[in-house]
Amino acid sequence: MARRGGYRPEGLVVIGEADTEAAAAPGEGAAPDGGAAPGAGDGAGDGAGATVARGTGWGWREWGRWGWRQLTSMRVALLLLMLLAIAAVPGAVLPQRLQDAAGVAQYFTDHPSLAPWLDRFSLFDVYTSPWFAAIYLLLFISLVGCIVPRAFEHARVLRQPPPRAPRRFTRFPAHTAFASGLPLDDAVAQARRGLRGYRLREESVGSGDARVVSISGERGYLREVGNIVFHLALVGLLVSMAYGSLVHYRGQVIIVEGETFANSRLAYDSFDTGAWFDEDSLGDFRLRLDSFHAVFLPNGQADDFRADVAVIDADGAERPASIKVNEPLRVGGASVYLMGNGYAPKIQVHDAAGKLAFSATVPFIPTSNTSYVSHGVVKVADTSTGTQIGLNGWFLPAAQIIDDGAFADSTAPTPDDPALLLEVWSGDLGLDLGVPQNVYQLDTSRMTQSVREIDDGAGGTTTAPVRVEVRPGETVDLPDGLGTVTFESLPRFVGLDLRYDPTLGWVLGFALAAIVGLTGSLFLPRRRVFVRLGLDPRGRTVGTAAALARGDDPGLARELQRVTGWARTAPRTAATDTASTAATTAATADEESS
C-alpha cells in the first residue's frame, strides 16, 4: 500500500525509471542523471572517432566505410573548406590565363625559370585545375554526407516528445528545490505556464496524496535548424558558384560617344566564358553611348561619372538609360558596369602622297586619375607609299608643354586646353607577321624614330625624339616628309564590363541563408528544464527543478529562476517557508549521500 505523501525533493523514483540510475557522470559523454544533453542524438556525429568492429583484418568494405566516415565528418569538412581557401590564394596572386593572358605571357618573360614550373602545377589556371576541382568536389561530398543524415536525424527528434525527467536533479548545473502554498494541481498549472514556449512532456505516477507529477520541457530546436540551414546553404553556394562558373560570360568593351555596340562575341575587346557557355545566352540588344558626364572636385579627384546610353532592343525600340559607378544597367539578362573612362581624340593621318591613310577615334588610356594625362598609340598601316607610320603619344587635357615637348603635363582633368604630344616612327609595324599585338603598345623593333639635333650643353650636338604638338582643329606636318596629322575633335569614351551569371540571385539567397543559419546556431540557446511536484507527508506542495543546456549557457540559472518564479510569488505561510527550507536541506543531504 502506498504511503501518504512522503515526497522528498530528491530521491523520488518515477515508475519505470528505476533502472536508469546507472547514468554516466557529468563530463563522461552523457548528461547528468541520465538526461541526454539537448541536441544529443540530433547529429550524425563527428564520425572521425568512430570505431569499426575488428576481426582478423579489414577488407575493402571496412576500409571504405571507415573512409566514408572520415570524409563525412565535420572535422574533415572544415579542413577541406580551409584547404579550398588556401588553394585559391595562387589564383589571386598570379595572373590567370582566362582573365589575363597577356599578364601570363609577361610573367613568363620576367621569370623564364620559375614560370614553367608554376605552369606544370596549373598555377596559371588555378580555378580550372584538376587539383582545385578535386578539393571542391570533396568538400561538396563531405558537406552533403555530413549534413543530410543530420537533417533526417533532427527531423526524427522533432517528431518525438522531450525525454522523461531523470531521477536525480542535484547533479545538474542548475537545480533548485522549493515549496508552495498552492494545491498540487494549481502548482502543476503554474509550472506549465512557466514553461510556455517549451515542448512539454508530462507524466504523473501514483494517485491521491502519493501523486507525483514530472514535467519535461525543451526549447531551442531552431539552434540545430540554424546549424543545418547554414551547412545546406554552404552546399547551395558551392553548387550555385560551380554552375555559374560553367555558364557565365564576361566581356569588356570600349565605346566612344556616338558609337554603338552590338552584343555579339566578336564585338568585345576581351571575352571570357564558362565551359557550358551557350551563344543563345547573349541577349539581343545594342548600346549607343550618347554622352558621358564627369564631375571633378577642385583638387582633381573624381566626384561623379555618368554614361547616358540608349538601349536598342531586337525590334528596334529605343529607351534611354544611365550607367554610373556601382549602379549597373540590367539588360539582356546581363549587368553592364561602368569600369573606366577617358578621352578618344579623332585623328586623321595623310601620307606623304597626300592620301588619307587613317581616320578614327583613338582611346587614350589615363595614366593619372587626377590630371588625366593619357597614353595612346596610332598605327597607320595602309599608306600609299608603303612606309607604315606609328605615332606614340600622350593626351593632355589642360596642356602645359615646355621646351618642344621635353616637359609636358596637365594641370586639370577637364579639357580646358587639350593637346596631343606625339612621337613619330616609320617602317614596318609588324602587323602582317601573324603575331597578336597590344593595340595600346607600339612594336618599334622594325621601325625608325624621327629625331632632331639639339645642343648637348658642351658645345656639341646630340639627338632627341621629335615630338609633334597638335591641338583641336589643327593639322601639323609630320617629320621626314611622312605626311600630316589632324586633331579633328575630342569625344569621350567609356569602358564597360558586361557580366552574365544566372546564379547571382541564388548565391545571394544562399549567402543570406548561411548568415541567418549561423546566427541562429550561435546565439539561440538549446535548453531542457525538468520540474517534479508532489505532496509532503503534511500535504504541502513541494518540488524540485533542474535545467540543462547544450554547451555553455550563462543564462541557464536565470531561466530556471524564471520558470520556478511562480513558487516565490505564490501565497506563502510559515508552514510553506518551513517546508521550503526542509526541501532544500533534504536535497543537499541527498546529494551528499549520493
Side-chain angles (χ1 to χ4, degrees):
M1 183 174 66
R3 292 186 302 148
R4 179 183 182 278
Y7 172 75
R8 289 175 55 200
E10 287 291 359
L12 178 67
V13 180
V14 179
I15 294 176
E17 295 185 355
D19 295 334
T20 65
E21 188 171 358
E28 296 180 2
D33 309 312
D42 289 5
D46 189 301
T51 60
V52 178
R54 302 179 183 230
T56 57
W58 282 8
W60 64 270
R61 291 185 180 179
E62 288 74 15
W63 281 109
R65 291 169 184 165
W66 178 84
W68 176 254
R69 276 193 291 268
Q70 305 305 309
L71 180 60
T72 57
S73 66
M74 189 58 65
R75 184 187 315 168
V76 172
L78 292 175
L79 288 175
L80 287 172
L81 189 61
M82 182 176 63
L83 184 61
L84 186 70
I86 295 174
V89 171
V93 175
L94 298 173
Q96 301 296 293
R97 280 194 174 89
L98 287 178
Q99 289 77 30
D100 188 9
V104 174
Q106 186 64 41
Y107 195 92
F108 271 82
T109 302
D110 298 338
H111 306 86
S113 300
L114 178 61
W117 282 98
L118 296 178
D119 198 27
R120 290 180 183 180
F121 295 98
S122 302
L123 294 183
F124 297 113
D125 302 280
V126 169
Y127 305 112
T128 57
S129 63
W131 53 267
F132 190 86
I135 298 173
Y136 201 95
L137 182 61
L138 286 175
L139 177 60
F140 176 77
I141 295 174
S142 180
L143 286 175
V144 172
C146 176
I147 205 62
V148 171
R150 190 169 181 172
F152 280 108
E153 180 66 19
H154 186 61
R156 183 187 63 81
V157 170
L158 290 176
R159 294 194 299 268
Q160 296 176 345
R164 302 168 72 182
R167 178 175 180 176
R168 297 185 184 278
F169 290 171
T170 53
R171 295 179 184 175
F172 279 80
H175 63 273
T176 185
F178 55 89
S180 173
L182 296 175
L184 179 58
D185 289 339
D186 292 346
V188 170
Q190 289 291 342
R192 291 197 205 98
R193 189 173 293 110
L195 290 170
R196 184 176 300 163
Y198 284 76
R199 292 181 62 200
L200 299 180
R201 174 175 182 167
E202 183 176 328
E203 293 181 338
S204 179
V205 297
S207 60
D209 293 339
R211 178 179 170 223
V212 176
V213 180
S214 297
I215 304 176
S216 303
E218 185 169 8
R219 71 183 307 176
Y221 292 93
L222 287 179
R223 180 189 181 99
E224 181 66 14
V225 171
N227 198 4
I228 294 173
V229 167
F230 169 71
H231 289 90
L232 289 177
L234 285 183
V235 174
L237 275 174
L238 290 176
V239 174
S240 299
M241 293 174 65
Y243 181 73
S245 67
L246 292 172
V247 301
H248 85 288
Y249 74 79
R250 179 178 181 179
Q252 292 78 36
V253 63
I254 288 179
I255 308 179
V256 179
E257 283 179 323
E259 295 184 357
T260 301
F261 159 76
N263 187 34
S264 65
R265 188 166 186 167
L266 297 177
Y268 285 94
D269 298 323
S270 63
F271 197 71
D272 173 42
T273 68
W276 294 354
F277 168 72
D278 185 1
E279 293 280 355
D280 293 336
S281 61
L282 285 171
D284 190 2
F285 66 89
R286 289 175 291 161
L287 288 178
R288 185 182 66 242
L289 178 62
D290 291 333
S291 61
F292 178 79
H293 304 276
V295 178
F296 296 93
L297 299 175
N299 62 358
Q301 291 184 344
D303 183 47
D304 185 44
F305 293 134
R306 188 184 80 247
D308 293 330
V309 300
V311 180
I312 307 172
D313 297 325
D315 57 1
E318 291 189 17
R319 56 185 175 89
S322 295
I323 310 174
K324 303 182 69 175
V325 178
N326 297 325
E327 295 182 15
L329 169 67
R330 291 285 299 175
V331 57
S335 297
V336 185
Y337 294 87
L338 178 62
M339 300 301 294
N341 67 88
Y343 296 93
K346 186 174 182 181
I347 299 173
Q348 280 191 356
V349 177
H350 290 77
D351 61 19
K355 294 184 178 181
L356 181 63
F358 180 90
S359 179
T361 54
V362 181
F364 277 63
I365 307 303
T367 59
S368 170
N369 291 328
T370 54
S371 64
Y372 265 63
V373 173
S374 308
H375 176 261
V377 169
V378 179
K379 300 180 182 182
V380 185
D382 299 325
T383 61
S384 62
T385 61
T387 302
Q388 297 179 333
I389 303 171
L391 304 178
N392 181 53
W394 294 266
F395 171 75
L396 311 172
Q400 186 179 23
I401 302 174
I402 301 175
D403 194 13
D404 293 331
F407 173 82
D409 199 1
S410 177
T411 58
T414 53
D416 300 331
D417 186 16
L420 284 172
L421 194 62
L422 305 173
E423 294 179 352
V424 184
W425 297 75
S426 59
D428 183 5
L429 292 169
L431 299 178
D432 299 327
L433 299 178
V435 179
Q437 288 190 6
N438 190 330
V439 296
Y440 302 108
Q441 293 180 355
L442 184 64
D443 182 4
T444 60
S445 59
R446 289 167 297 277
M447 305 189 77
T448 302
Q449 186 174 21
S450 297
V451 297
R452 60 188 176 91
E453 291 187 353
I454 60 172
D455 186 359
D456 62 0
T461 61
T462 186
T463 59
V466 174
R467 292 183 173 176
V468 178
E469 179 182 343
V470 192
R471 296 183 181 273
E474 292 183 350
T475 298
V476 178
D477 291 333
L478 295 175
D480 302 327
L482 293 173
T484 62
V485 59
T486 303
F487 186 172
E488 286 196 313
S489 59
L490 186 60
R492 299 293 298 262
F493 78 84
V494 295
L496 300 181
D497 187 1
L498 284 80
R499 305 179 188 179
Y500 169 79
D501 188 344
T503 65
L504 291 180
W506 290 99
V507 170
L508 176 61
F510 284 125
L512 294 176
I515 294 174
V516 172
L518 182 61
T519 302
S521 66
L522 291 177
F523 298 107
L524 290 177
R526 183 77 181 271
R527 293 167 176 165
R528 282 176 180 165
V529 177
F530 305 100
V531 179
R532 182 172 287 131
L533 299 168
L535 299 176
D536 67 2
R538 300 180 61 181
R540 291 167 299 198
T541 300
V542 292
T544 53
L548 180 66
R550 184 177 188 177
D552 296 331
D553 188 350
L556 189 62
R558 291 194 304 271
E559 176 67 6
L560 186 61
Q561 292 178 1
R562 185 195 66 79
V563 170
T564 59
W566 58 269
R568 294 188 297 274
T569 59
R572 303 181 65 85
T573 63
T576 57
D577 290 338
T578 302
S580 179
T581 302
T584 304
T585 302
T588 303
D590 184 79
E591 181 175 9
E592 292 175 352
S593 64
S594 60

